[in-house]
Amino acid sequence: MFYKNEFGADFDLGFNLSDYPFLKDKSWHNDISPSFYFNVGSQYYVLWVDHSDPAEREESNSRYLIQKATNEGDEANPEVYSSSGKVCVDSELFDEIHIYFNKIGC
C-alpha cells in the first residue's frame, strides 16, 4: 500500500480500505495526505484522507475530501489529477463519504 510507505505504517484512514475495492491508492510523499482515485463511468474522483487530529493537518480542510479529477493517461495506465477539480464533498466523518459513494453509484 502506497499510503503506508509514504505516510507511515501507523497512518489511520478511519475506515477499512479493503471494504472499498474500487479505491486505488495514488498516495505520494509530495502530497499533504494520502489519496485514492476512483471513477464512475468516465468521471474520475480523488478521495483525500488527512490526519484525524486537526492539529496535525497542514491545511484547514476536513479530514475527508472528494474532488473531481481528470485522467490524463488512459484506462490501462491512468494518470489521475485533481488539482483544479471541484470539491464534491468534505467531512470529518467517513459515514458521509460512504453515503456519497452510494449516491454516485460506487
Side-chain angles (χ1 to χ4, degrees):
M1 291 184 208
F2 299 126
Y3 83 92
K4 287 187 176 188
N5 292 338
E6 302 294 343
F7 295 94
D10 293 334
F11 191 95
D12 178 22
L13 296 176
F15 64 95
N16 186 351
L17 187 56
S18 65
D19 290 343
Y20 300 89
F22 56 88
L23 292 176
K24 296 164 186 81
D25 195 342
K26 67 178 252 39
S27 301
W28 186 247
H29 65 273
N30 286 342
D31 291 335
I32 62 171
S33 65
S35 61
F36 306 85
Y37 77 88
F38 63 99
N39 64 299
V40 177
S42 62
Q43 178 60 62
Y44 282 77
Y45 300 87
V46 172
L47 166 65
W48 296 92
V49 181
D50 216 328
H51 293 277
S52 58
D53 180 356
E56 293 185 41
R57 299 177 193 166
E58 289 185 34
E59 295 189 8
S60 61
N61 294 328
S62 297
R63 181 167 190 207
Y64 302 103
L65 185 141
I66 294 177
Q67 72 186 127
K68 287 188 174 182
T70 56
N71 179 8
E72 295 182 8
D74 57 31
E75 292 296 317
N77 300 295
E79 293 181 33
V80 179
Y81 300 98
S82 63
S83 59
S84 62
K86 175 187 169 215
V87 173
C88 300
V89 63
D90 66 333
S91 177
E92 289 297 320
L93 304 173
F94 188 77
D95 288 346
E96 292 180 26
I97 300 303
H98 180 83
I99 290 168
Y100 187 78
F101 287 155
N102 289 334
K103 177 181 170 186
I104 63 172
C106 292

